Amino acid sequence: MTAARRMPWHVDSWEATMTDVAAISQAVPKPDHVPDWAVFDFDMFHDPEYLADPHRRILEMAGKVPAVFWTPRNGGHWMLMSHAANFEASRDPETFSSEIVPRAQIKAMMAALPPGAPRIPQPVPINVDPPEHGQYRVPLQGAFSPKSMLALKDGIRALAAELIEKIKPQGSAEFMAEVAEPLPVQVFLKIFGLPLERQAEYRALVKDHLSAGQNDPREMARRLVKVTAVMRDTVLERKLNPRDDLISLLWQANIGGEPTTIEDMENYCVLLFLAGLDTVMNGMGHGVRHLAVDLDLQRKLRESPKLIAEAAEELLRRYTFTVPPRRVTKDHEFHGVTLKANERVMLFLPAADLDPKEFEGPERYDLDRENKVHIAFGTGPHRCLGSHLARIELQVLYEELLARLPEFRLDPAKPVRYHGGHVVGPDALWLLWDA
Amino acid sequence: MKIRIQKSACVGNARCAAVSEALFQLDGDGYIATDSIDVPPGMEQLAKRGARACPERVITIVEDNPE
């Protein structure tokens, strides 16, 4: 069974209550302002061809569907296919809000909670618009700066080497569980300041959160509360005894001129915990799957490891994998259609980076292509905060994998299966090599 | 030829520096170090490629003699 994943750092159950989604893949009626030609029936969670090979499915769609299309699935929403539409919407937060549920509605939900109920954390800064967004993002910016992340490179390399050496004698491995998951998770726990010995507990919580059903808002809130609960001791302890970690740093920060509160800390924690413990492993999955089928590329990169940084960029372009949601704030014309206030829009970034208008022969993985200027990390104010870390992790992983394993390929007996949703990636990736 | 950079909008992708470290120098934190660069003769192509490489599109080329 494939889990219907949604973007883990985003409280989409509220979105579900707002749009009254009964069952995820049931079609809803087309609103009158949506022209027939702009409709394309695509379920970003369950489309069978998409789950068999997401990027191949997108390439097939690219010639057929409009730059901006509407799908009746998942409550009915828009999807942006073209690079131009994605680029513009990403950089126009006034029209394309990240406050997926309007603030007033969140307040009303909070107020309706029974007395004594635990507070529901709000993922920041991802679900907050400018200018408030900046107040929450600034304290994180330095911590995730290129320089801060570069300082972690040796540690990341040592960990990658250890994980790969462990699987090497086996001659085969399920790469996602044995490398792609533990590597970024351990790196992130260290940055965050959470005890490594509780790793299994945290991972279980993230897995539970990502694979659980989406349609019960109370369940979703309970899971977010669980995330804050599991970190609470550490968070409170660091307030008294600061260390060289992110939790301590955030306690010492101020947000819009005010000292950080425990509520702020919880809001940060749900975002960072869930984003930090899931996203990059999906990118690793796409990249390593490509390497496993492109043996020429493996050979080339083993001969010239210096090319790996550029190779990693083109892998991000060819296999962009996040689909962030936005909420339209006002009725307006956009790329030939009318978007109405409070409609949902998906920034279909994987399609943007496979747009033939932007990239010549987008299906070609081309190391020599000059234009590798992808928006895999998004663009505009919400651009991925962790991108500098992600780039280092991806590059180091490819370097160590190519240096330590002989030629590896996919296990033909175990085809790759993917999950769709807001973060698209392989559920399992079985590799073979000569041990 | 000159390069103009909206420095405050740099997010540290360092894609320009991947094209030419000599031309696009980064500060200690990994962001672009300056908002204006005089392009030495012979480096015009690198300058243009570096500008195109910026995902945030904050780098523009100013030609000396616009045609």
Side-chain angles (χ1 to χ4, degrees):
Chain A
M1 196 193 76
T2 306
R5 289 206 189 185
R6 290 196 157 200
M7 193 169 269
W9 53 82
H10 154 232
V11 191
D12 36 18
S13 52
W14 292 341
E15 186 185 336
T17 35
M18 178 173 73
T19 52
D20 209 9
V21 182
I24 264 176
S25 13
Q26 213 161 41
V28 300
K30 174 181 85 66
D32 289 341
H33 69 283
V34 178
D36 287 334
W37 59 261
V39 177
F40 183 75
D41 190 343
F42 178 71
D43 188 326
M44 62 183 272
F45 294 91
H46 299 292
D47 181 277
E49 288 169 59
Y50 190 59
L51 297 187
D53 189 338
H55 297 88
R56 189 176 62 200
R57 174 66 166 143
I58 292 168
L59 286 163
E60 281 166 12
M61 284 162 66
K64 286 188 234 159
V65 307
V68 176
F69 74 84
W70 186 86
T71 172
R73 302 291 158 180
N74 300 298
H77 60 85
W78 295 97
M79 291 198 86
L80 309 187
M81 282 295 285
S82 73
H83 188 280
N86 278 287
F87 194 84
E88 284 165 38
S90 301
R91 296 165 75 96
D92 181 4
E94 282 180 27
T95 316
F96 294 91
S97 170
S98 290
E99 298 180 0
I100 305 301
V101 179
R103 222 175 273 201
Q105 198 172 339
I106 293 178
K107 273 200 183 128
M109 275 193 61
M110 297 273 214
L113 289 174
R119 183 186 159 277
I120 305 170
Q122 312 282 313
V124 294
I126 198 166
N127 285 151
V128 181
D129 289 333
E132 204 186 345
H133 166 262
Q135 297 174 0
Y136 286 101
R137 180 149 171 151
V138 164
L140 295 170
Q141 207 104 285
F144 286 94
S145 74
K147 184 188 175 190
S148 313
M149 295 300 100
L150 209 57
L152 304 175
K153 197 168 182 176
D154 291 344
I156 294 171
R157 191 179 297 286
L159 183 55
E162 186 190 318
L163 291 167
I164 295 163
E165 287 300 327
K166 208 164 111 192
I167 59 168
K168 190 176 175 177
Q170 299 168 198
S172 75
E174 200 286 276
F175 175 79
M176 298 310 290
E178 300 204 52
V179 182
E181 190 176 344
L183 174 59
V185 166
Q186 289 183 34
V187 170
F188 200 78
L189 292 179
K190 215 171 150 192
I191 296 175
F192 215 67
L194 290 169
L196 274 181
E197 60 271 17
R198 290 179 72 181
Q199 191 189 160
E201 189 184 347
Y202 300 140
R203 280 170 60 182
L205 197 57
V206 171
K207 270 193 170 158
D208 177 46
H209 182 83
L210 293 176
S211 60
Q214 312 296 325
N215 290 329
D216 184 347
R218 274 160 307 188
E219 251 311 300
M220 179 69 81
R222 250 198 298 278
R223 285 197 300 271
L224 284 179
V225 169
K226 257 187 180 172
V227 170
T228 53
V230 79
M231 287 184 283
R232 182 178 287 267
D233 291 351
T234 314
V235 168
L236 291 173
E237 196 268 338
R238 291 298 193 285
K239 187 178 187 181
L240 301 172
N241 305 303
R243 293 190 198 170
D244 181 21
D245 61 33
L246 192 53
I247 295 177
S248 308
L249 180 140
L250 289 171
W251 272 125
Q252 288 149 38
N254 66 73
I255 294 156
E258 300 290 327
T260 318
T261 63
I262 182 70
E263 288 80 14
D264 294 326
M265 290 302 290
E266 287 176 351
N267 292 347
Y268 275 130
C269 284
V270 287
L271 165 71
L272 293 166
F273 190 76
L274 298 170
L277 299 189
D278 182 61
T279 319
V280 74
M281 64 179 280
N282 290 284
M284 292 176 173
H286 289 295
V288 171
R289 193 213 60 98
H290 181 90
L291 286 167
V293 296
D294 190 344
L295 303 182
D296 283 342
L297 181 63
Q298 278 194 43
R299 207 166 304 129
K300 203 169 178 177
L301 298 179
R302 281 199 181 87
E303 278 166 23
S304 322
K306 279 198 170 132
L307 296 175
I308 291 176
E310 280 305 296
E313 284 302 301
E314 175 67 351
L315 285 171
L316 283 167
R317 200 270 318 160
R318 179 66 180 76
Y319 300 101
T320 294
F321 60 96
T322 66
V323 187
R326 293 290 187 268
R327 179 177 55 86
V328 178
T329 58
K330 58 173 191 246
D331 296 4
H332 72 291
E333 299 294 309
F334 187 71
H335 289 259
V337 294
T338 304
L339 307 183
K340 297 258 191 197
N342 289 321
E343 287 182 329
R344 284 179 308 144
V345 171
M346 300 299 158
L347 305 176
F348 202 10
L349 302 178
D353 284 337
L354 292 172
D355 182 351
K357 286 211 176 88
E358 185 69 20
F359 300 99
E360 198 199 327
E363 74 288 350
R364 224 173 47 240
Y365 176 90
D366 183 357
L367 194 47
D368 299 323
R369 154 191 320 275
E370 190 207 315
N371 179 15
K372 303 185 188 80
V373 191
H374 60 73
I375 47 173
F377 295 118
T379 176
H382 289 282
R383 190 185 163 281
C384 176
L385 179 73
S387 68
H388 308 302
L389 174 59
R391 275 197 167 112
I392 291 170
E393 288 179 330
L394 289 166
Q395 185 188 330
V396 165
L397 169 77
Y398 300 145
E399 284 170 357
E400 293 304 311
L401 205 58
L402 290 163
R404 289 171 192 278
L405 288 190
E407 184 180 273
F408 53 88
R409 53 208 178 271
L410 294 183
D411 183 341
K414 293 169 180 162
V416 185
R417 285 287 303 171
Y418 293 85
H419 53 263
H422 293 283
V423 182
V424 184
D427 284 327
L429 183 63
W430 286 92
L431 302 179
L432 296 176
W433 60 89
D434 299 327
Chain B
M1 182 186 278
K2 269 196 167 58
I3 301 169
R4 293 236 184 278
I5 300 164
Q6 245 181 292
K7 191 167 177 287
S8 62
C10 172
V11 294
N13 279 294
R15 298 301 299 153
C16 57
V19 172
S20 172
E21 273 183 0
L23 206 46
F24 298 94
Q25 290 180 11
L26 305 181
D27 67 19
D29 288 328
Y31 301 94
I32 192 75
T34 175
D35 57 6
S36 176
I37 300 165
D38 289 319
V39 181
M43 296 186 84
E44 291 85 356
Q45 283 312 312
L46 281 176
K48 286 182 186 170
R49 280 182 47 207
R52 282 198 297 266
C54 177
E56 294 296 308
R57 302 186 186 170
V58 302
I59 308 175
T60 45
I61 298 293
V62 185
E63 304 271 359
D64 292 332
N65 301 305
E67 287 172 38

